[in-house]
Each structure stands twice: as C-alpha cells, then as structure tokens.
Amino acid sequence: MKKSFVRTLCGLALMGTAAAEANVKLGFGVDQGLGVMLQFNNKVNAFVGNDGLSVDYLFVRKRLADMEGTPLNWTLGAGGFAEWNHGFGVRVPLGLEVPFARGWDAMVFAAPAFDFDDTKFQLDLGIGVRYAF
C-alpha cells in the first residue's frame, strides 16, 4: 500500500513538472483520507491520500460573489475515485474556492458518488488549501 502511494505521488509530481507552462496549484487536504492535491489549468483536480486517489474534471467555474473584495467561486465537475483497499467509482463534485492570500486559495466540496465495488451511493466530502505556482 505504501509503495503504491509513493509511486502515485511521484507520478503526479512528474506530471506537475512536465506541465511547466500550465497553471498548477499544489496543496494538502482531506478527500480520500489526508493527502496531497494538485490542480492543473483550473480544470483538473487530482488527489492522492491515505485511503485512495481521485481525479475530477471541472467543467463549470463561476464567480458566486465578492466577499469584501475576495471572489468566491463555485465549481461543478465529474470524476472518479479508487480506494487502496477496495472500492472504485464515479462522482460529481460541487465545490467552493476562496482565494485568501496572493497565490493561496482554500477549497471545499461535496461529491455525490457511486461505488461500483459495493454498489452503493455515498457522499464524499473534501477540504484543502492550495498554492499556485
């Protein structure tokens, strides 16, 4: 389990360096357990954590409001997840992003999901902090 986590983390790091001209955000948070999150070009979110990994494509990003000059954005996407021990499926994340300092933002989301392994619906929740390079 630890070897696959390290391999996945190294693979995501290589993707980040390969996309040098892309808008890349790197951070930490909770999604599939505690772990590392990446965002590419404000469209693709990837997460590798203690319990598994997830990848989501964000097809909607809109400004919701300005809170004292700080934009509040909402996002909607589609993606999938795989857990290290068992379980894999699809999900639809609905989230909020709030920039709070130069280059930094916080995000939170709720994702209704369907687990194909257990054939059940579930609700994935996530929160994290990212820095844009």
Side-chain angles (χ1 to χ4, degrees), residues 63-81:
R63 179 164 289 172
L64 184 62
D66 282 324
M67 298 182 335
E68 298 177 13
T70 302
L72 177 65
N73 300 316
W74 69 275
T75 61
L76 179 64
F81 67 92

Side-chain angles (χ1 to χ4, degrees), residues 52-67:
L53 64 91
S54 63
V55 177
D56 302 314
Y57 179 79
L58 303 177
F59 51 86
V60 176
R61 169 180 266 107
K62 299 281 184 177
R63 179 164 289 172
L64 184 62
D66 282 324
M67 298 182 335

Side-chain angles (χ1 to χ4, degrees), residues 9 97 120:
L9 188 58
E97 299 175 336
K120 66 176 182 177

